[in-house]
Amino acid sequence: MIIILQPHVTSQSAEFRQLMDYLSHRPNIQTRLHQEIGTRQTLTEIYLIGDTASLDQAEIENQPGVERVVRISEEYRILGRHHDDRRPTGFDYNGVLFSQDNLNVFAGLCAVDTPEHVEEMLKTLQQHGQVCTRMGAYKPRTNPYSFQGHGKACLPWVFELAGKYGIKVIAMEITHDSHLDEIRAALEKTGKPTGVMLQIGTRNTQNFELLKIVGRQREFPVLLKRGFGITLEESLNAAEYLASEGNARIVFGLRGMKTNMGDPHRNFVDFAHVPVVKRLTRMPVCIDPSHSVGTRERAPDGLLDVYHVTAQGVIAGANMVLVDFHPHPQKALVDGPQALLLEELPWFLEDVAIAREAYEKRRLLAERETRKLRL
Amino acid sequence: MIIILQPHVTSQSAEFRQLMDYLSHRPNIQTRLHQEIGTRQTLTEIYLIGDTASLDQAEIENQPGVERVVRISEEYRILGRHHDDRRPTGFDYNGVLFSQDNLNVFAGLCAVDTPEHVEEMLKTLQQHGQVCTRMGAYKPRTNPYSFQGHGKACLPWVFELAGKYGIKVIAMEITHDSHLDEIRAALEKTGKPTGVMLQIGTRNTQNFELLKIVGRQREFPVLLKRGFGITLEESLNAAEYLASEGNARIVFGLRGMKTNMGDPHRNFVDFAHVPVVKRLTRMPVCIDPSHSVGTRERAPDGLLDVYHVTAQGVIAGANMVLVDFHPHPQKALVDGPQALLLEELPWFLEDVAIAREAYEKRRLLAERETRKLRL
Amino acid sequence: MIIILQPHVTSQSAEFRQLMDYLSHRPNIQTRLHQEIGTRQTLTEIYLIGDTASLDQAEIENQPGVERVVRISEEYRILGRHHDDRRPTGFDYNGVLFSQDNLNVFAGLCAVDTPEHVEEMLKTLQQHGQVCTRMGAYKPRTNPYSFQGHGKACLPWVFELAGKYGIKVIAMEITHDSHLDEIRAALEKTGKPTGVMLQIGTRNTQNFELLKIVGRQREFPVLLKRGFGITLEESLNAAEYLASEGNARIVFGLRGMKTNMGDPHRNFVDFAHVPVVKRLTRMPVCIDPSHSVGTRERAPDGLLDVYHVTAQGVIAGANMVLVDFHPHPQKALVDGPQALLLEELPWFLEDVAIAREAYEKRRLLAERETRKLRL
Amino acid sequence: MIIILQPHVTSQSAEFRQLMDYLSHRPNIQTRLHQEIGTRQTLTEIYLIGDTASLDQAEIENQPGVERVVRISEEYRILGRHHDDRRPTGFDYNGVLFSQDNLNVFAGLCAVDTPEHVEEMLKTLQQHGQVCTRMGAYKPRTNPYSFQGHGKACLPWVFELAGKYGIKVIAMEITHDSHLDEIRAALEKTGKPTGVMLQIGTRNTQNFELLKIVGRQREFPVLLKRGFGITLEESLNAAEYLASEGNARIVFGLRGMKTNMGDPHRNFVDFAHVPVVKRLTRMPVCIDPSHSVGTRERAPDGLLDVYHVTAQGVIAGANMVLVDFHPHPQKALVDGPQALLLEELPWFLEDVAIAREAYEKRRLLAERETRKLRL
């Protein structure tokens, strides 16, 4: 059971103390405090665990300071959409809104290589009005003898360049908790010229220790990619690990499943799960068309498969697109063959805009029709 | 190697005889004649098998009556898109065009049950300008003790009702060659009030004997569904079985793959393969959102997952949509839970139209951009 | 519910008529007769369908001629192991016993090619005391342009050679019901020198029309291979199709599942399901190590993977082994690379014998221990 | 390329210095030293990376102190079996030998719960001559609200009890590098009464940061479980991560793959890969029948599926068995339903012994036959 407090009530308020006192007299009930500190207001929630079946929901809703009470199902306690659950989805970070109702594009380099390439990329993004990017400093690679990313060495200049070109959020994969410290240190050292969304990749979706550590910090939001050999339910439970430790500012990322049934694509594109994740949880949903498709193959209509699957994700309501670009794919150290070219960026953005516009029309139509059919 | 003859050249022409004589003098070459009889013209092709590497393409192109020569790769000899292959895609059937460039919706009953339900369905289709439908008379079921469809008994009244409501093409699954005879007989008996597209389901994708028999007839076009446990390449080879026997009027159907990685959907939706099939072959591509999704679950935006995946297929260029409706899903004998309601038909069609319109815009944009980027 | 009659009771007996009369007075109950005609006795069973919950089991067991009554669960009505179900497993065919308690090896050619190869194979089998073989005349192939088997043309000489070398049962795949007629005709023409076990391959596991037709004949037993993209439950339901039409003389064949998770083997070996199939049904279980493994790779201990997985199936109680040999694998028209050599036959048989002996010891140990632990 | 030095040559020897000097004059060649310190001798190897194609193998073999030179393929540089690679497999740890030629059983508790249960388990193991066990202190769980193991708190008393009952090696999963420190500290505090084999579970197979850290220590050997959603090749590359950091004392564990094709087993049993791993690498191979099967279902022959799949792994040459027991499965905090009972231990061990004996016979037969067939 979740008690959502009125916006003005904090853990210092008299109502809060009174409510906690009331709860402490209910038998076999433990409480846990959860706060979402937004730009405009702080949302305070009290999670009740234990014999909640015996509690009187109406009585609790009548306590001072309580806005409403949500009975939750067992799964996805914090992130789930529970019955009659009108809590907002999403969050603000460094001036960018992430929610189930809008769309952000993160075009960028799969792996940071040279300052020249990073600068070319960022300059082009700025020219086309983009304020988000992806930049991989830590690269988990199947083969131990492959290039593993420049790591912390590249962070300062990447962050400085990001600041120079007005980037507000960089999605950056981390694979160990020490990377979190390194990113925090580099940001501080460079005067926080940009923000970072910590990305946890498909190989670490069930690296629960990493999830717990990342979940304990509140500074950075998290992009959690779906695990490629597990069910959707298991991946959503992994997101709940983050939330259960305190950080619910999570975007959930679809990136295709690993099976030869998806050939000739690199992975089996799973963007039909966009509406499913939005139904089961309150997380915004990201799609990663580059890693899903893995090639630059083109349909007879002239459109790359990467464009097609992006449009598929977006027309079904995806909220974030993570996509690989590179100024010189043939020189890219990781995943060059799937990267789009810088001169393709305006086309890509316009293609995305067409799909998003179609989604908006579909949503308006749905509103009208559900009213008409009295759903 | 394929020799495509000029439109006026038939197997009775002098040019044809002269060309065959020329070919008979090439060592280790067998020929095979293939004719596509369209409404406006007949396309005659000669397939050359054997030691084609030794042939002089330019010399053959200079023979009288030859329009052009295509060197083919080993796979998908007839259906494939070969290098420099400008042959048209698709075909006309009973006044309806099926091609890689347009879109037809086949809404209808998964399984024929009563004449009342069939009539309700068809009347509604006519009211919304539809001339195609799906109607299952032969139903392959996992459990031998489940309802197996009304079979040939229902064919006459289904065809008559179709004719009454202006239906031009019914997609109808067959699971044995005797069903082909039964359909032909029922159509003749009722005076051919409608047309039939023979549907071969996912359990029979590699039922090669059925494919050969269906491939040998030219009367009905075929909708071949992808096999659910095999690679895309294997399913496309199954289509080639049909073509190799003479019938290349084939639509290829995506219907999801069977794996729990697709949960909570009934199957793992595979519509990211729409552009892939169009690139590898010249077949129009159908999507089956109902069997892929298998439920009536709805996203928080009010749209059913069935609508979302349909839009995903269509915005990537799908050419046909096979979708289950039922006037009273709770009374449906097969797959009721996934059926849409008759009153949802206009919404569904409008939702599809939005996605198709977005696809058309994307295609125009692609034309403009590929010119600009000189691709 | 199944009523098992006493051995002497047939459909002509007075007890039978009396029992049917009794049953005809129970409301909402349909009956269906099923007879297993063995060499020593005929087993007559009456299947009751409908409102069987209302029936009094004890009362029926007291009717004259009734041996016992088994309440069945919904799944696998005929083939399943139901609660308190002591019906025998298996059957005799042409002097060979097939049951859940013994083991038969079917070594032979994947595809019949020349009479010389067939004769070499059969002679070697006879030299090593074998009376069963596999011989493929009809070969379903992924690519329509590949060799499809010699079909009916080879049947007479294959059967005659089999008779010459004392072969009692040939496992032979069929892919269409016409093949059944061709086999019957060739056997009659040649004077029935041998027997045939009809094999239904993995691509036709859910070709229900073929299953129904094969299930309606009683002459030949059937080896049904598991479908490679469906669950075990779905494949067992396919076996039930055969049984529901009258033929319960079925061996169920495991042959690996199609997924790249099984690499570098051709298929993902599924022989851990041997005990599962024996628990869920009364069918003997066959393993096909050749198609599962698909190569002649060898472990550092000198044993081929084909030998290892065979031993794995046998030590867990497999009842039949289908294995590819060829006198000259490099000349084989189908699947040469996985074939064992004729000179390897004695080694293979001895290796199988070691595994079977181990299984027998394990079974004896289990009997002793279950008594001791009072399980 | 790997240069294997003669046993008496160490990095302090004159021959060594001379060789390194020789190598330093070869252009574009980097060297890396790798030492295996065994009980009887130290094996020193020099890995050459870079332009090794230009090196003269015979010339290097003639350098003083060189025993032999192995040209390696790109994959699995350290762990792989390369052409003409006669290096030994396996290692000794705390008096127990782990190799591709012997077998160790690790029966024990999936998760440590109470000292009473641990002591009951260990006492029973000692009574049956066992010196290895499994004991889970850190439990990665799908749901964040499930029991996560007692962690470091239980280590001291678990180690002391292990020492009391003569256990030499405990397999214990770790999920973060801090666990390694905790284990080392607890062992030191308690006077090293036992040894620990660090287990890395299927969710962390590609947690490369953990692999690198574990690979950098030489104190404990490692049991690396196969990842459940990746190919075998990818999992073997993960093992190479450990080796590339210095620790090649690795056992590779098969534990089933996650797909519903394995139903009704919890995972799809993959023990057919036992000979494959032994062919591709020099690692001993472990099987985990408990997590693969996940139930206590029993075949009609009285044998549990867990016993059957264990026998399947062992008869194909498995070198280690990790199996769950529990004195009171109904009280187990994790995976109780799959645990064997303490009173079943002697039966289990005898069943394993029968399978191992069969394997030994098969190996002897293979030696005899390969000689006979001159393979």
Side-chain angles (χ1 to χ4, degrees), chain B residues 141 145 207 240-241 258, chain C residues 141 145 207 234 240-241:
Chain B
R141 304 299 300 280
Y145 306 110
N207 179 347
E240 186 75 11
Y241 260 94
K258 224 179 155 62
Chain C
R141 305 299 300 282
Y145 307 110
N207 180 346
E234 289 166 323
E240 185 76 11
Y241 260 94

Side-chain angles (χ1 to χ4, degrees), chain A residues 133-287:
Chain A
T133 191
R134 68 168 310 186
M135 286 285 155
Y138 307 96
K139 301 304 303 177
R141 304 299 300 281
T142 299
N143 191 311
Y145 306 110
S146 304
F147 170 67
Q148 311 265 324
H150 284 314
K152 71 174 170 180
C154 70
L155 297 180
W157 56 263
V158 167
F159 293 159
E160 278 166 357
L161 282 170
K164 178 174 170 189
Y165 291 102
I167 295 296
K168 298 195 166 305
V169 190
I170 303 176
M172 182 173 275
E173 179 165 2
I174 64 168
T175 59
H176 191 259
D177 37 290
S178 59
H179 302 161
L180 174 57
D181 302 328
E182 291 169 7
I183 288 171
R184 193 184 280 119
L187 277 175
E188 270 166 29
K189 194 180 130 198
T190 53
K192 297 203 182 178
T194 186
V196 169
M197 176 178 275
L198 302 173
Q199 183 178 326
I200 294 181
T202 193
R203 294 178 180 85
N204 286 298
T205 305
Q206 290 194 317
N207 179 349
F208 298 133
E209 298 304 316
L210 181 59
L211 296 179
K212 286 180 200 166
I213 292 165
V214 169
R216 264 174 231 139
Q217 61 78 38
R218 301 287 189 95
E219 190 175 350
F220 305 108
V222 186
L223 167 61
L224 178 69
K225 292 272 197 88
R226 179 181 191 174
F228 50 34
I230 53 178
T231 60
L232 182 61
E233 188 187 345
E234 290 166 323
S235 288
L236 296 179
N237 265 307
E240 186 75 11
Y241 260 94
L242 290 162
S244 74
E245 296 288 338
N247 191 344
R249 298 198 297 171
I250 311 168
V251 175
F252 187 81
L254 300 172
R255 44 85 71 215
M257 301 298 284
K258 225 180 155 62
T259 154
N260 59 343
M261 295 297 135
D263 288 352
H265 288 158
R266 179 170 169 185
N267 289 290
F268 196 139
V269 182
D270 55 351
F271 300 167
H273 279 159
V274 168
V276 176
V277 177
K278 291 173 85 171
R279 170 167 63 247
L280 296 177
T281 76
R282 293 174 299 117
M283 291 186 278
V285 181
C286 174
I287 55 170

Side-chain angles (χ1 to χ4, degrees), chain C residues 302-316:
Chain C
L303 286 151
L304 293 168
D305 285 14
V306 172
Y307 285 52
H308 273 310
V309 304
T310 303
Q312 290 185 323
V314 171
I315 202 173

Side-chain angles (χ1 to χ4, degrees), chain B residues 141-142 202-207 228, chain C residues 173-175 199-212 223-242 252-253 255-257:
Chain B
R141 304 299 300 280
T142 300
T202 193
R203 293 178 180 85
N204 287 298
T205 305
Q206 289 193 317
N207 179 347
F228 49 34
Chain C
E173 179 165 0
I174 63 168
T175 57
Q199 183 179 325
I200 294 181
T202 192
R203 291 179 182 85
N204 286 298
T205 305
Q206 290 194 316
N207 180 346
F208 298 132
E209 297 304 316
L210 180 60
L211 295 178
K212 287 181 201 166
L223 167 60
L224 178 69
K225 293 272 197 88
R226 179 182 191 172
F228 49 35
I230 53 178
T231 61
L232 181 61
E233 188 187 344
E234 289 166 323
S235 288
L236 295 178
N237 265 308
E240 185 76 11
Y241 260 94
L242 290 161
F252 187 81
R255 45 85 71 213
M257 301 298 283

Side-chain angles (χ1 to χ4, degrees), chain C residues 10 30 35 84 92 134 149 173 183 213 233 245 267 269 321:
Chain C
T10 70
Q30 293 88 47
Q35 285 189 305
D84 251 342
D92 275 292
R134 67 168 309 184
E173 179 165 0
I183 288 171
I213 291 164
E233 188 187 344
E245 296 288 337
N267 289 291
V269 182
V321 178

Side-chain angles (χ1 to χ4, degrees), chain A residues 277-321:
Chain A
V277 177
K278 291 173 85 171
R279 170 167 63 247
L280 296 177
T281 76
R282 293 174 299 117
M283 291 186 278
V285 181
C286 174
I287 55 170
D288 178 343
S290 301
H291 285 81
S292 301
V293 166
T295 73
R296 279 184 57 87
E297 290 287 325
R298 196 182 293 278
D301 53 22
L303 287 151
L304 292 169
D305 286 14
V306 172
Y307 285 52
H308 274 309
V309 304
T310 303
Q312 290 185 324
V314 171
I315 202 172
N319 307 111
M320 178 170 157
V321 178

